[in-house]
PDB file of all heavy atoms in Angstrom:
ATOM      1  N   VAL A  62     -11.417  20.505  28.333  1.00 84.00           N
ATOM      2  CA  VAL A  62     -10.238  19.718  28.346  1.00 84.00           C
ATOM      3  C   VAL A  62      -9.906  19.270  26.898  1.00 84.00           C
ATOM      4  O   VAL A  62     -10.709  18.821  26.222  1.00 84.00           O
ATOM      5  CB  VAL A  62     -10.472  18.432  29.230  1.00 84.00           C
ATOM      6  CG1 VAL A  62      -9.266  17.445  29.056  1.00 84.00           C
ATOM      7  CG2 VAL A  62     -10.658  18.799  30.683  1.00 84.00           C
ATOM      8  N   TRP A  64      -9.151  20.984  24.299  1.00 91.00           N
ATOM      9  CA  TRP A  64      -9.725  21.805  23.246  1.00 91.00           C
ATOM     10  C   TRP A  64      -9.238  23.236  23.345  1.00 91.00           C
ATOM     11  O   TRP A  64      -9.280  23.780  24.477  1.00 91.00           O
ATOM     12  CB  TRP A  64     -11.272  21.796  23.224  1.00 91.00           C
ATOM     13  CG  TRP A  64     -11.804  22.292  21.992  1.00 91.00           C
ATOM     14  CD1 TRP A  64     -12.191  23.729  21.809  1.00 91.00           C
ATOM     15  CD2 TRP A  64     -11.923  21.812  20.675  1.00 91.00           C
ATOM     16  NE1 TRP A  64     -12.623  23.943  20.479  1.00 91.00           N
ATOM     17  CE2 TRP A  64     -12.442  22.718  19.824  1.00 91.00           C
ATOM     18  CE3 TRP A  64     -11.677  20.492  20.202  1.00 91.00           C
ATOM     19  CZ2 TRP A  64     -12.640  22.457  18.450  1.00 91.00           C
ATOM     20  CZ3 TRP A  64     -11.987  20.234  18.850  1.00 91.00           C
ATOM     21  CH2 TRP A  64     -12.430  21.212  18.000  1.00 91.00           C
ATOM     22  N   ARG A  71       3.306  21.558  21.716  1.00 85.00           N
ATOM     23  CA  ARG A  71       3.160  22.881  21.157  1.00 85.00           C
ATOM     24  C   ARG A  71       2.610  23.868  22.179  1.00 85.00           C
ATOM     25  O   ARG A  71       3.054  25.042  22.209  1.00 85.00           O
ATOM     26  CB  ARG A  71       2.309  22.845  19.907  1.00 85.00           C
ATOM     27  CG  ARG A  71       2.161  24.147  19.169  1.00 85.00           C
ATOM     28  CD  ARG A  71       1.419  23.975  17.865  1.00 85.00           C
ATOM     29  NE  ARG A  71       2.279  23.369  16.851  1.00 85.00           N
ATOM     30  CZ  ARG A  71       3.225  24.036  16.130  1.00 85.00           C
ATOM     31  NH1 ARG A  71       3.382  25.323  16.322  1.00 85.00           N
ATOM     32  NH2 ARG A  71       3.995  23.446  15.277  1.00 85.00           N
ATOM     33  N   LYS A  92      -4.770  42.352  24.453  1.00 74.00           N
ATOM     34  CA  LYS A  92      -3.424  41.791  24.638  1.00 74.00           C
ATOM     35  C   LYS A  92      -2.569  42.430  23.562  1.00 74.00           C
ATOM     36  O   LYS A  92      -3.015  42.743  22.470  1.00 74.00           O
ATOM     37  CB  LYS A  92      -3.472  40.323  24.476  1.00 74.00           C
ATOM     38  CG  LYS A  92      -3.903  39.551  25.633  1.00 74.00           C
ATOM     39  CD  LYS A  92      -3.619  38.087  25.636  1.00 74.00           C
ATOM     40  CE  LYS A  92      -3.332  37.524  26.920  1.00 74.00           C
ATOM     41  NZ  LYS A  92      -2.892  36.149  26.828  1.00 74.00           N
ATOM     42  N   GLY A  97       6.904  43.081  19.507  1.00 63.00           N
ATOM     43  CA  GLY A  97       6.643  43.555  18.165  1.00 63.00           C
ATOM     44  C   GLY A  97       7.011  44.959  17.955  1.00 63.00           C
ATOM     45  O   GLY A  97       6.830  45.475  16.837  1.00 63.00           O
TER      46      GLY A  97
ATOM     47  N   SER B 396       6.339  28.071  12.610  1.00 94.00           N
ATOM     48  CA  SER B 396       5.254  27.957  13.666  1.00 94.00           C
ATOM     49  C   SER B 396       5.771  28.198  15.125  1.00 94.00           C
ATOM     50  O   SER B 396       4.946  28.096  16.045  1.00 94.00           O
ATOM     51  CB  SER B 396       4.583  26.609  13.634  1.00 94.00           C
ATOM     52  OG  SER B 396       5.525  25.604  13.850  1.00 94.00           O
ATOM     53  N   ARG B 401       4.865  39.089  12.477  1.00 87.00           N
ATOM     54  CA  ARG B 401       3.588  39.871  12.074  1.00 87.00           C
ATOM     55  C   ARG B 401       3.543  39.935  10.538  1.00 87.00           C
ATOM     56  O   ARG B 401       4.392  39.438   9.816  1.00 87.00           O
ATOM     57  CB  ARG B 401       3.768  41.333  12.637  1.00 87.00           C
ATOM     58  CG  ARG B 401       3.696  41.400  14.141  1.00 87.00           C
ATOM     59  CD  ARG B 401       3.781  42.774  14.566  1.00 87.00           C
ATOM     60  NE  ARG B 401       4.718  43.465  13.760  1.00 87.00           N
ATOM     61  CZ  ARG B 401       5.205  44.685  14.048  1.00 87.00           C
ATOM     62  NH1 ARG B 401       4.677  45.315  15.047  1.00 87.00           N
ATOM     63  NH2 ARG B 401       6.046  45.328  13.343  1.00 87.00           N
ATOM     64  N   ASP B 451      -6.839  31.531  25.265  1.00 68.00           N
ATOM     65  CA  ASP B 451      -7.365  32.853  25.756  1.00 68.00           C
ATOM     66  C   ASP B 451      -8.579  33.196  24.953  1.00 68.00           C
ATOM     67  O   ASP B 451      -8.496  33.254  23.762  1.00 68.00           O
ATOM     68  CB  ASP B 451      -6.293  33.870  25.630  1.00 68.00           C
ATOM     69  CG  ASP B 451      -6.564  35.019  26.572  1.00 68.00           C
ATOM     70  OD1 ASP B 451      -7.638  35.570  26.370  1.00 68.00           O
ATOM     71  OD2 ASP B 451      -5.738  35.294  27.456  1.00 68.00           O
ATOM     72  N   MET B 506     -12.162  27.710  16.788  1.00 93.00           N
ATOM     73  CA  MET B 506     -11.771  27.284  18.140  1.00 93.00           C
ATOM     74  C   MET B 506     -12.875  27.388  19.152  1.00 93.00           C
ATOM     75  O   MET B 506     -12.758  26.739  20.270  1.00 93.00           O
ATOM     76  CB  MET B 506     -10.559  28.251  18.561  1.00 93.00           C
ATOM     77  CG  MET B 506      -9.269  27.743  17.806  1.00 93.00           C
ATOM     78  SD  MET B 506      -7.809  28.503  18.477  1.00 93.00           S
ATOM     79  CE  MET B 506      -7.752  29.980  17.392  1.00 93.00           C
ATOM     80  N   ARG B 588     -15.560  13.179  19.597  1.00 97.00           N
ATOM     81  CA  ARG B 588     -15.676  13.604  21.053  1.00 97.00           C
ATOM     82  C   ARG B 588     -16.824  14.616  21.219  1.00 97.00           C
ATOM     83  O   ARG B 588     -17.087  15.366  20.326  1.00 97.00           O
ATOM     84  CB  ARG B 588     -14.326  14.258  21.572  1.00 97.00           C
ATOM     85  CG  ARG B 588     -13.941  15.433  20.836  1.00 97.00           C
ATOM     86  CD  ARG B 588     -12.919  16.147  21.662  1.00 97.00           C
ATOM     87  NE  ARG B 588     -13.409  16.748  22.817  1.00 97.00           N
ATOM     88  CZ  ARG B 588     -12.687  17.524  23.690  1.00 97.00           C
ATOM     89  NH1 ARG B 588     -11.349  17.688  23.481  1.00 97.00           N
ATOM     90  NH2 ARG B 588     -13.207  18.011  24.747  1.00 97.00           N
TER      91      ARG B 588
END
Side-chain angles (χ1 to χ4, degrees):
Chain A
V62 174
W64 189 266
R71 185 170 282 281
K92 280 193 148 186
Chain B
S396 64
R401 292 180 321 188
D451 201 302
M506 287 191 270
R588 62 165 291 180

